Amino acid sequence: MESPAMPGAGAAADIKTTTSDLRGQVGRIQNQVKEIQEVVRMYSSTTGPRRVRRHKVEVMSSDPSESNPYSRLMALKALGVVKNYERVRDFSVALVGIGGVGVSVVEMLTRCGVGKIIIYDYDTIELANMNKMFYRPEQAGWNKTMACRHYCSELNPDTTIEVHNMDITAKENTAKFKESISTGSLDRKEKVSLLIGCVDNLEARELMERFSDEMQLPFMDAVVADDAMSGHVQLIIPGRTGGLEAAPIKTHMEKRAGICPASLPTTDSIIAGLCAQNAIKFLLGFGEVFFLMSYNAITNEFATRMTYPDPRKSSSPPADGY
Amino acid sequence: MESPAMPGAGAAADIKTTTSDLRGQVGRIQNQVKEIQEVVRMYSSTTGPRRVRRHKVEVMSSDPSESNPYSRLMALKALGVVKNYERVRDFSVALVGIGGVGVSVVEMLTRCGVGKIIIYDYDTIELANMNKMFYRPEQAGWNKTMACRHYCSELNPDTTIEVHNMDITAKENTAKFKESISTGSLDRKEKVSLLIGCVDNLEARELMERFSDEMQLPFMDAVVADDAMSGHVQLIIPGRTGGLEAAPIKTHMEKRAGICPASLPTTDSIIAGLCAQNAIKFLLGFGEVFFLMSYNAITNEFATRMTYPDPRKSSSPPADGY
């Protein structure tokens, strides 16, 4: 207990103690803040969210400097492979289904600098997806669309990423799906340049084919079989090529208890690579574009063939420009 | 200056100053903490460092639940494609060169659950690499090996990632390179199961071929041409197949001012997919393993062929087991 001998002295001592206490607390907090800052700095220099955020690039240049994100792409022009690489920015692509194949196609088109990508999916990332490219354990529980937009818009801020977290085959969504494709060009005045489907069900593929036909919109369909041992990529130009009936239809496993479809990042990488490669060639008009490419992972066989419109099917007259 | 007019008033003024000082400090700290909280919240809600960190998984199971990172791979066993998928963990692979092709091969082998991957590279990530899969803008300036280890060890903590940040062709490093491969198995008692090269120069490829021959170690070579329009993957089994002389040698551009090699994520994805696919088939013994696969991106041609040992070259006697 304090002695009250000198009035005021006790109060002064109290204040001294309080002040010294506070100083101590402030000092400790400052140290804690320093530690936390250190941890945050460590993060930003490792997984490094956004320390070196890439800025938008006005003009694609073939300047070979290390800080040019387009030097390796624009070199295609310098080397005479592609005449007009910078036109890649004028295109808008709609892509349905960002599982193992679709997500890599989106990533590749983003890295290639495509102007705009519109994505449709309604699935959630699970640890079971960790055998697929792109997905990471810390994304478990996220919407695939959200993860994809976040990742790709950081990867290349010059590409506009629009996402629709929905099932395109649900009745309440088909009109919105069609509308968003019809006005999906960069200036929102025209349809997208290309529709890509990377889905695991025939219903969605048939819906895309129908809209492709109605809108005279090129449609690329990429599929991997449920045993991960085969896949194909098909380009359907309404009125000019065969439709889905021309391609080997994916046979879907009947759901067996305790067995899920298999998938391998390797097969996905090959099919996604073929799909994105064909898309870039189609958009920029270089090399031979294929109409049907099938891959067998067991035998290493790749086969391309032309497909032809089914004369029994009536189709809208072909639009010009393809 | 303080006026000493009233004894004790100076002390009170001192206390006032001190208190005001402390208040100010506490306020500033509170602001700092708020800012830090904001940054941390941004991190955890976006790239989300480690919010859901994946734990090690003792036994690979085919349980189809969403939280099983191996369900889609073990399904290969349930579906009868691969007899022994879980053996993937027993293998150790050494991989040289983590550019556009190599980094995807490492990522795929990690996602497939290969037991151990030893990586060699000495390059730094630049914005010019953003057309390649895996690399992200915020990694600019990092060693490729560091970025790769960090990323892949989070992706799959069951895969041991060992990195060597060095040029294997530099005189001072070749012995270390050979030693690390010779003792690269999981128990460090044997050589690695497979050596993969994804490099852009003949010198490193020839060095790998030499060590492959000396150590009777299978060597897989994956190459993409400087115009990004062709590539090949070759599997060399010492004494049993042809060596590098059997494959189309990459012609290297003479360095032209203002032009760098071109690359496309699409071509890289296809070549990397073929390389990792062939590696998994070779290691686990399913499907047909190919010895030379070449791809032409312009014509969409894929060609496989057998290669044969050059009778003019003396080779060590083939080891058993292949």
Side-chain angles (χ1 to χ4, degrees):
Chain A
M1 269 189 71
E2 283 169 38
S3 77
M6 272 171 62
D14 275 359
I15 291 166
K16 235 183 180 165
T17 310
T18 307
T19 310
S20 149
D21 254 18
L22 283 173
R23 274 193 208 284
Q25 284 185 35
V26 168
R28 282 191 294 278
I29 294 174
Q30 281 174 331
N31 283 339
Q32 284 175 318
V33 168
K34 243 184 230 164
E35 269 177 43
I36 296 170
Q37 282 177 325
E38 203 50 54
V39 171
V40 170
R41 196 170 300 121
M42 198 184 68
Y43 279 157
S44 65
S45 72
T46 51
T47 36
R50 282 155 288 273
R51 202 179 37 156
V52 182
R53 202 192 247 278
R54 221 209 80 188
H55 294 98
K56 291 199 180 203
V57 173
E58 280 299 316
V59 177
M60 290 178 86
S61 109
S62 52
D63 164 23
S65 82
E66 291 174 341
S67 61
N68 176 8
Y70 296 118
S71 58
R72 267 56 171 174
L73 297 166
M74 289 296 284
L76 290 164
K77 198 174 169 181
L79 293 168
V81 176
V82 187
K83 277 186 190 154
N84 51 354
Y85 194 87
E86 67 283 3
R87 276 211 60 206
V88 79
R89 288 187 161 191
D90 300 339
F91 299 108
S92 177
V93 174
L95 189 142
V96 181
I98 47 172
V101 172
V103 83
S104 288
V105 173
V106 171
E107 184 176 346
M108 282 184 249
L109 296 182
T110 302
R111 291 184 185 275
C112 282
V114 165
K116 182 177 173 184
I117 307 175
I118 310 176
I119 299 162
Y120 307 81
D121 202 299
Y122 61 102
D123 208 0
T124 303
I125 299 172
E126 304 296 347
L127 283 182
N129 302 133
M130 291 311 127
N131 68 322
K132 292 169 179 69
M133 301 299 272
F134 175 95
Y135 295 123
R136 302 203 307 275
E138 69 268 22
Q139 294 173 327
W142 288 34
N143 290 336
K144 286 184 176 174
T145 48
M146 194 174 86
C148 193
R149 175 169 56 189
H150 177 264
Y151 182 93
C152 289
S153 60
E154 295 224 322
L155 204 54
N156 187 352
D158 302 321
T159 295
T160 301
I161 310 279
E162 180 183 313
V163 301
H164 298 272
N165 199 67
M166 67 183 200
D167 175 0
I168 61 160
T169 63
K171 268 187 188 159
E172 67 274 20
N173 294 332
T174 48
K176 191 182 170 195
F177 172 55
K178 194 176 177 187
E179 166 67 18
S180 60
I181 295 176
S182 312
T183 59
S185 67
L186 280 153
D187 60 5
R188 296 181 182 278
K189 289 179 181 162
E190 285 172 70
K191 63 190 174 191
V192 295
S193 323
L194 176 67
L195 170 62
I196 300 181
C198 304
V199 298
D200 61 0
N201 68 90
L202 191 57
E203 196 186 352
R205 293 164 72 213
E206 285 178 340
L207 181 74
M208 285 185 270
E209 188 184 24
R210 179 153 69 83
F211 288 159
S212 149
D213 195 53
E214 285 177 27
M215 298 164 56
Q216 293 291 302
L217 174 67
F219 166 41
M220 203 177 289
D221 178 53
V223 179
V224 172
D226 281 343
D227 66 356
M229 287 296 115
S230 66
H232 76 258
V233 179
Q234 182 181 9
L235 173 59
I236 296 173
I237 311 274
R240 306 266 174 140
T241 70
L244 289 175
E245 78 288 344
I249 302 283
K250 183 182 185 186
T251 53
H252 280 276
M253 290 198 321
E254 289 176 39
K255 294 225 166 173
R256 278 190 273 168
I259 298 187
C260 56
S263 63
L264 276 169
T266 48
T267 305
D268 286 355
S269 174
I270 294 167
I271 294 296
L274 286 170
C275 177
Q277 186 90 297
N278 211 41
I280 292 287
K281 284 159 74 178
F282 173 73
L283 294 173
L284 292 177
F286 71 96
E288 290 177 32
V289 172
F290 64 73
F291 296 94
L292 181 56
M293 164 84 76
S294 51
Y295 166 57
N296 183 315
I298 295 289
T299 60
N300 306 306
E301 279 166 314
F302 289 88
T304 49
R305 72 173 180 86
M306 186 57 204
T307 65
Y308 299 95
D310 184 339
R312 293 163 303 182
K313 264 175 68 178
S314 70
S315 177
S316 331
D320 287 324
Y322 305 127
Chain B
M1 264 193 74
E2 282 170 41
S3 78
M6 272 169 61
D14 275 1
I15 290 165
K16 234 181 181 169
T17 311
T18 306
T19 308
S20 149
D21 254 20
L22 282 172
R23 274 191 210 283
Q25 283 185 36
V26 168
R28 282 190 294 278
I29 292 173
Q30 280 173 332
N31 283 340
Q32 283 177 316
V33 168
K34 240 183 232 167
E35 270 176 42
I36 294 169
Q37 280 175 328
E38 204 49 53
V39 171
V40 168
R41 194 171 301 122
M42 196 183 70
Y43 281 159
S44 63
S45 72
T46 52
T47 36
R50 280 156 290 271
R51 207 170 35 147
V52 182
R53 203 192 247 279
R54 220 208 81 187
H55 294 99
K56 290 199 180 202
V57 173
E58 280 299 317
V59 177
M60 289 177 88
S61 109
S62 52
D63 164 23
S65 82
E66 291 175 340
S67 60
N68 176 9
Y70 295 119
S71 59
R72 268 59 172 171
L73 297 165
M74 289 297 283
L76 290 165
K77 197 174 168 180
L79 293 170
V81 176
V82 187
K83 277 188 192 152
N84 50 357
Y85 195 86
E86 68 281 3
R87 276 210 60 206
V88 78
R89 289 188 159 188
D90 300 340
F91 300 107
S92 177
V93 174
L95 190 144
V96 181
I98 47 172
V101 172
V103 84
S104 289
V105 173
V106 171
E107 185 176 346
M108 283 184 251
L109 296 181
T110 301
R111 290 184 187 275
C112 282
V114 164
K116 182 177 173 183
I117 307 175
I118 311 176
I119 298 162
Y120 307 82
D121 203 299
Y122 60 102
D123 208 359
T124 302
I125 298 171
E126 304 295 348
L127 283 183
N129 301 135
M130 291 310 129
N131 68 322
K132 292 170 179 69
M133 301 299 271
F134 174 96
Y135 296 122
R136 302 202 306 274
E138 69 268 22
Q139 294 173 327
W142 287 34
N143 290 336
K144 287 184 175 175
T145 49
M146 195 173 86
C148 194
R149 175 168 57 189
H150 177 264
Y151 182 94
C152 289
S153 59
E154 295 224 322
L155 205 54
N156 187 352
D158 302 321
T159 296
T160 302
I161 309 279
E162 179 181 313
V163 300
H164 298 271
N165 199 66
M166 66 184 203
D167 175 1
I168 62 159
T169 63
K171 267 188 187 156
E172 65 274 23
N173 293 332
T174 48
K176 191 181 168 195
F177 172 56
K178 194 176 177 185
E179 167 67 18
S180 60
I181 294 176
S182 312
T183 59
S185 67
L186 279 152
D187 61 4
R188 297 179 182 279
K189 289 179 180 162
E190 286 172 68
K191 62 191 174 190
V192 294
S193 322
L194 176 66
L195 171 62
I196 300 180
C198 303
V199 299
D200 63 358
N201 68 90
L202 190 58
E203 196 185 351
R205 294 165 72 214
E206 285 178 341
L207 182 73
M208 284 185 269
E209 188 185 23
R210 178 154 69 82
F211 287 160
S212 151
D213 195 55
E214 285 177 28
M215 296 163 60
Q216 293 291 300
L217 174 67
F219 166 42
M220 202 175 291
D221 178 53
V223 180
V224 172
D226 281 343
D227 66 357
M229 288 296 115
S230 65
H232 76 258
V233 179
Q234 182 180 9
L235 173 59
I236 297 173
I237 311 274
R240 306 266 173 139
T241 70
L244 289 175
E245 78 289 344
I249 302 285
K250 182 181 185 186
T251 53
H252 281 276
M253 290 199 319
E254 289 176 40
K255 295 226 167 175
R256 278 189 273 168
I259 299 187
C260 57
S263 62
L264 276 169
T266 48
T267 306
D268 285 356
S269 175
I270 294 167
I271 293 297
L274 287 169
C275 177
Q277 186 89 296
N278 211 39
I280 292 288
K281 284 158 73 179
F282 172 73
L283 293 172
L284 292 176
F286 71 96
E288 290 176 33
V289 172
F290 64 73
F291 295 95
L292 181 57
M293 165 83 77
S294 50
Y295 166 57
N296 183 316
I298 294 289
T299 61
N300 307 306
E301 280 167 313
F302 289 88
T304 49
R305 71 173 182 84
M306 186 57 206
T307 65
Y308 299 95
D310 184 340
R312 292 164 303 185
K313 262 176 71 179
S314 69
S315 177
S316 332
D320 286 325
Y322 303 126

